[in-house]
Amino acid sequence: MGELILIRHGETEWSRSGQHTSWTDLPLTALGERQARALVPLLAEREIGLTLASPYLRARRTAELAGLPTPRETPDLREWDYGAYEGVTTVEIRRTRPDWNLWTDGVAPGPAEHPGESPQEVGDRADRILAEVRAAASRLGDADIALVAHSHFLRVLTARYLRLTPASGELFQLHTGAVSRLGTEHGKPVVTALNMALPEKLFNAIA
């Protein structure tokens, strides 16, 4: 296969304010749309044979503006279910849980339809996506596969690709509108690029 291209969606109002956002289906901000368009030159020389996207609007719109092939909505690419912490910032959570760490502690239970996920449950979803990617790669030859999704989920997926624990995702920072690439070297999984984005001062140069 080629490389696995990871794309975090562009900015939303809640990503700007630091509020945890999983199922709340927010649109991109004006900056988020510019970030998504700025992905075009970063992807221009890639041969992308398949694009999988989270079902949420912010991911689907990012894929569209980035000029990616028709994305296939994939529920397992949704963001970490934050349970009772949906819409809440880390600063607010730590007022009552000073030592709280998403990567090791998970979240407080939420409503029945969104009970929250543990790190291991998110890791299990990432493993299913990676299995789907491997199956697709056998049909695509050297073409790349793009995943358009969310920060915490893609960080867990990166960790699992590298055969690390889900909690090791905290080692990989991903900004809004950023691209990372996962590949191999001598048959071993490696990160070939991480958290790449076009500087905002160059956005006006993009047609």
Side-chain angles (χ1 to χ4, degrees), residues 41-201:
L42 296 179
L43 302 173
E45 297 183 359
R46 312 299 305 191
E47 179 190 356
I48 298 175
L50 174 66
T51 300
L52 306 179
S54 160
Y56 293 122
L57 174 62
R58 56 196 185 273
R60 291 186 286 109
R61 180 63 171 158
T62 296
E64 175 189 355
L65 294 174
L68 288 164
T70 305
R72 188 170 80 206
E73 290 187 28
T74 306
D76 270 342
L77 280 173
R78 66 191 183 277
E79 181 60 298
W80 194 318
D81 186 330
Y82 297 123
Y85 294 157
E86 181 76 359
V88 184
T89 68
T90 296
V91 170
E92 290 169 332
I93 295 166
R94 287 181 174 166
R95 288 174 186 160
T96 55
R97 297 181 67 182
D99 298 324
W100 177 76
N101 182 330
L102 172 68
W103 302 98
T104 53
D105 300 329
V107 299
E113 63 273 23
H114 294 291
E117 288 181 292
S118 68
Q120 186 57 55
E121 287 172 324
V122 181
D124 290 344
R125 281 202 285 119
D127 289 346
R128 291 198 295 270
I129 290 293
L130 291 172
E132 183 173 354
V133 164
R134 286 191 290 269
S138 65
R139 304 188 300 271
L140 295 172
D142 292 332
D144 297 327
I145 296 174
L147 306 180
V148 188
H150 311 272
S151 176
H152 285 138
F153 179 78
L154 290 176
R155 292 167 70 174
V156 171
L157 184 138
T158 298
R160 295 302 299 139
Y161 179 86
L162 297 172
R163 303 170 187 167
L164 303 173
T165 65
S168 299
E170 69 178 333
L171 301 174
F172 309 107
Q173 187 180 57
L174 295 181
H175 293 142
T176 52
V179 175
S180 300
R181 301 199 312 268
L182 305 178
T184 58
E185 184 178 49
H186 305 305
K188 303 286 180 138
V190 296
V191 176
T192 57
L194 183 68
N195 205 29
M196 299 187 303
L198 198 66
E200 188 175 347
K201 66 183 179 181

Side-chain angles (χ1 to χ4, degrees), residues 20-56:
H20 287 87
T21 320
S22 49
W23 70 84
T24 303
D25 205 7
L26 299 176
L28 300 179
T29 62
L31 173 60
E33 295 217 344
R34 293 197 298 274
Q35 289 175 329
R37 291 188 183 94
L39 293 168
V40 173
L42 296 179
L43 302 173
E45 297 183 359
R46 312 299 305 191
E47 179 190 356
I48 298 175
L50 174 66
T51 300
L52 306 179
S54 160
Y56 293 122

